[in-house]
Amino acid sequence: MSAHCQLTGRRPGFGNTISHSHRRTSRRFDPNIQRKRYWLPSEGRYVRLALSAKGIKTVDTIGIEAAVTRIRARGEKV
């Protein structure tokens, strides 16, 4: 599973780990991705989405129907 949110489009960020001696090594900041299953009443089925924590809160606010519409508008398959 790739580390990106289907709703918000959040992807990993990249930066450096800086040690005590100030040596820099590459690191990756992954978004908090959760696999969540929602009931989609319009289609009479469950959909499983890979969402970030912020994406889950957005679904709680706007509803699953509007969220699936946004995901499909971005060109992702649900």
Side-chain angles (χ1 to χ4, degrees), residues 1-73:
M1 178 176 77
S2 65
H4 83 278
C5 177
Q6 288 181 288
L7 181 60
T8 61
R10 288 181 181 234
R11 293 188 174 272
F14 296 90
N16 291 313
T17 298
I18 303 179
S19 69
H20 180 69
S21 65
H22 219 63
R23 232 180 117 135
R24 290 175 168 89
T25 54
S26 293
R27 66 161 291 180
R28 181 174 144 142
F29 296 91
D30 285 328
N32 184 8
I33 299 294
Q34 310 290 322
R35 299 262 302 158
K36 200 144 164 54
R37 194 174 83 144
Y38 289 99
W39 174 253
L40 195 58
S42 64
E43 297 181 16
R45 69 182 180 107
Y46 284 99
V47 291
R48 192 175 298 270
L49 302 174
L51 300 172
S52 62
K54 179 160 181 148
I56 292 171
K57 292 174 192 172
T58 304
V59 171
D60 291 343
T61 304
I62 66 173
I64 187 62
E65 297 287 343
V68 167
T69 304
R70 283 190 194 179
I71 291 169
R72 287 182 174 148

